Amino acid sequence: MERPTRILDAAGRLTIRFGFDKTTMDDVAKEAGVSKGAIYLVWQGKEELIDALIEFEMKKLMLDLRRRIIADENCDSIAALYRQTLLAIQQNSLISALYTRDGKILGDFVHRQNPERYTRRLLMSKESVSAMQSAGLLRDDLSADVITYLFSLMALGFLSINSVIPVENAPPIDSTVGAIAAMVESGLTKPGGNRTLIKDSTIQMLDLLIEQYEKRDRNEH
Amino acid sequence: MERPTRILDAAGRLTIRFGFDKTTMDDVAKEAGVSKGAIYLVWQGKEELIDALIEFEMKKLMLDLRRRIIADENCDSIAALYRQTLLAIQQNSLISALYTRDGKILGDFVHRQNPERYTRRLLMSKESVSAMQSAGLLRDDLSADVITYLFSLMALGFLSINSVIPVENAPPIDSTVGAIAAMVESGLTKPGGNRTLIKDSTIQMLDLLIEQYEKRDRNEH
DNA sequence: ATATGACCAAAATCGAATAATTGGTCAAAA
DNA sequence: TTTTGACCAATTATTCGATTTTGGTCATAT
């Protein structure tokens, strides 16, 4: 594994355990098995390292989501897509924390910086929802804005509910996301419509995003 | 207005503004226009006052919800019921904070006490969901547990999303709850079924709960 | 009977001085 | 050239006594 990647990996591990605040450059260096100076050979400072870490995790998320969608042969509906998206985000503690604004992980760090910088909206943008409406895949008696908001709201609830209802009282994750997907399927999508392209076009979009991350990586070194 | 009620009112106002921690007994007395001793004539201490405040707000919530359901002549579906519930909770800052575990309002106080004491599960219990399934009102291909969880999860998302997406970027509340209700209607409920009793039986249940609060009030003084 | 607010002990807060840690650098080592 | 880790200024954490605030009481006033 490349050295910068090893460093980001270490930074990620420590950030999930201790949060941005309590993770020091020294810790990262030690965890990655390199000297502190080595970090500064790649990034300008802690802020740049964290930015890179988030990009790194976003890229990991996109790759994971891509893998999931390809593996799921029934992934030909928006509901199924949404379900894989939820599962992928939930697996990535850092992006999850970023999305739910988990104070434990974000700490004061993001608050001191421009907090807007550390918000991720993730897929299901207004534009794509709008496009899916036009394609007859989503019900169109609700505005694209509201549907997008609904997707965000359910994701937030799903990702943060375990701090309100302890996991031992919660149903298994699979049945929860399954139920969300079932509700979305019959509650937000439109029967019929041309579904054959959903999977392919989503993967294409993911490829585009992943390509962008890789291009940025190359430019920065 | 009764004096204990005036005190609870003052306590509520201050708690919403400053949280449990920063609200002192002196402040409450001053805000209520009574002496500090007067509070201790009614309650044993701060903890008891806060407990009473929460009961008080829960009762207000129930009364408000009752009023809403009666006023809404189309309130003959679970979706419509859920919608009024969300609106009612959202209007009550304190219960809302309790539900979402808003650290800003709860402060260290509830953490020092038994935190379980300060969690409210609110309507849509497993039992009532199960009953509605038996009555053919909710789809039964999803377990009552999961549907209950879904209701909790959406409520949590709805009540806490404004700290993730700023209100200026959010759709109006009415259209949001409207969309949630629409999604629940076609995504979780079953077409047909005997709806005529939904409204009446819910009001009956609320009356029972409200009666319990009033009985407890009478016993305590 | 009822209500008050001065009063008290305990807890929280402040402030300044001290100690420890942190992000970042760079001369020296590899 | 590439990498290191001792080093530094600056920020942050800690200590601890002084001060203030807080929850709670009760002799007194109404």
Side-chain angles (χ1 to χ4, degrees):
Chain A
M1 208 197 287
E2 296 278 328
R3 231 163 64 137
T5 309
R6 272 213 323 278
I7 295 171
L8 288 176
D9 231 53
R13 238 171 298 136
L14 294 174
T15 301
I16 290 165
R17 285 177 85 81
F18 307 112
F20 284 137
D21 286 349
K22 299 292 175 197
T23 300
T24 73
M25 299 297 267
D26 242 339
D27 292 340
V28 174
K30 224 167 265 173
E31 175 86 8
V34 299
S35 73
K36 194 156 56 138
I39 301 177
Y40 287 88
L41 291 176
V42 185
W43 297 281
Q44 303 240 358
K46 191 179 185 181
E47 203 179 320
E48 282 72 22
L49 175 66
I50 288 176
D51 284 353
L53 172 59
I54 292 171
E55 298 282 277
F56 179 62
E57 293 293 333
M58 281 295 285
K59 186 180 156 193
K60 278 204 329 203
L61 174 71
M62 296 298 161
L63 285 168
D64 182 36
L65 184 54
R66 186 181 190 281
R67 195 179 47 71
R68 283 172 184 277
I69 291 172
I70 290 175
D72 180 357
E73 64 252 16
N74 295 324
C75 205
D76 61 347
S77 69
I78 290 165
L81 221 63
Y82 187 57
R83 170 210 176 87
Q84 294 297 353
T85 306
L86 289 183
L87 284 171
I89 297 175
Q90 206 240 4
Q91 287 297 317
N92 190 312
S93 310
L94 208 143
I95 300 297
S96 219
L98 226 52
Y99 190 80
T100 62
R101 305 224 142 173
D102 181 344
K104 200 87 191 265
I105 286 188
L106 303 187
D108 293 335
F109 186 89
V110 306
H111 207 257
R112 274 197 300 274
Q113 321 290 334
N114 178 10
E116 304 251 342
R117 184 179 196 166
Y118 298 99
T119 41
R120 286 288 171 281
R121 276 299 277 288
L122 313 170
L123 305 197
M124 298 292 182
S125 64
K126 279 177 198 176
E127 294 72 31
S128 56
V129 165
S130 209
M132 293 188 232
Q133 274 183 323
S134 304
L137 296 168
L138 278 174
R139 61 193 283 178
D140 47 16
D141 60 330
L142 301 172
S143 79
D145 279 359
V146 170
I147 293 182
T148 308
Y149 199 63
L150 243 55
F151 280 129
S152 298
L153 173 164
M154 287 188 289
L156 181 61
F158 170 68
L159 294 171
S160 51
I161 195 166
N162 33 29
S163 71
V164 171
I165 296 177
V167 276
E168 58 263 29
N169 298 338
I173 290 169
D174 279 338
S175 68
T176 301
V177 289
I180 293 175
M183 180 179 64
V184 167
E185 177 74 36
S186 54
L188 291 180
T189 68
K190 234 175 170 178
N194 180 10
R195 300 187 153 198
T196 51
L197 286 175
I198 290 185
K199 189 171 181 172
D200 291 340
S201 63
T202 305
I203 290 173
Q204 237 177 323
M205 199 190 66
L206 283 173
D207 283 339
L208 212 73
L209 285 170
I210 294 165
E211 178 63 30
Q212 281 174 15
Y213 285 118
E214 275 168 1
K215 195 182 293 176
R216 227 171 305 164
D217 275 0
R218 263 172 279 142
N219 285 350
E220 276 169 14
H221 308 132
Chain B
M1 208 198 288
E2 296 278 329
R3 233 163 65 134
T5 311
R6 275 216 318 280
I7 294 171
L8 288 176
D9 232 52
R13 241 172 295 136
L14 293 174
T15 301
I16 290 164
R17 284 179 86 81
F18 307 112
F20 285 137
D21 286 349
K22 299 290 176 196
T23 299
T24 73
M25 298 299 265
D26 243 338
D27 291 340
V28 173
K30 223 168 267 174
E31 175 86 6
V34 299
S35 72
K36 195 158 52 141
I39 301 178
Y40 288 88
L41 291 176
V42 186
W43 297 281
Q44 303 239 357
K46 192 179 185 181
E47 203 178 320
E48 281 73 22
L49 175 66
I50 288 177
D51 284 353
L53 172 60
I54 292 172
E55 297 282 276
F56 179 62
E57 294 294 332
M58 280 296 284
K59 186 180 155 193
K60 279 203 329 204
L61 175 70
M62 296 298 161
L63 285 168
D64 181 37
L65 184 54
R66 187 181 188 281
R67 196 181 47 71
R68 284 173 184 276
I69 291 173
I70 289 174
D72 180 357
E73 64 252 13
N74 295 324
C75 204
D76 62 347
S77 69
I78 290 166
L81 222 63
Y82 187 57
R83 169 208 176 89
Q84 295 297 353
T85 307
L86 289 183
L87 284 171
I89 298 175
Q90 207 239 3
Q91 287 297 316
N92 190 312
S93 310
L94 208 144
I95 301 297
S96 219
L98 227 51
Y99 191 80
T100 61
R101 306 228 143 169
D102 181 343
K104 200 88 192 263
I105 286 189
L106 303 189
D108 292 335
F109 186 90
V110 306
H111 207 257
R112 273 197 302 274
Q113 319 293 334
N114 178 10
E116 304 251 342
R117 184 179 196 165
Y118 298 100
T119 41
R120 287 288 172 280
R121 274 300 277 288
L122 313 170
L123 307 195
M124 299 291 183
S125 63
K126 280 178 197 176
E127 293 73 31
S128 57
V129 165
S130 209
M132 292 188 236
Q133 274 183 322
S134 304
L137 296 168
L138 279 173
R139 62 193 282 179
D140 47 15
D141 60 330
L142 301 172
S143 78
D145 278 359
V146 170
I147 292 182
T148 308
Y149 199 64
L150 243 55
F151 280 129
S152 298
L153 172 164
M154 288 187 289
L156 180 62
F158 170 67
L159 294 171
S160 51
I161 193 167
N162 33 30
S163 72
V164 172
I165 296 178
V167 276
E168 59 263 28
N169 297 340
I173 289 169
D174 278 337
S175 66
T176 301
V177 288
I180 293 175
M183 180 178 64
V184 167
E185 176 74 35
S186 54
L188 290 181
T189 69
K190 235 176 168 175
N194 180 10
R195 298 187 154 198
T196 52
L197 286 175
I198 290 185
K199 190 170 179 171
D200 292 341
S201 64
T202 305
I203 290 174
Q204 237 177 325
M205 198 191 65
L206 284 173
D207 283 338
L208 212 74
L209 286 171
I210 294 165
E211 177 64 30
Q212 280 175 14
Y213 284 118
E214 276 168 1
K215 194 181 291 176
R216 227 172 303 164
D217 276 359
R218 263 173 280 144
N219 285 350
E220 276 169 14
H221 308 129

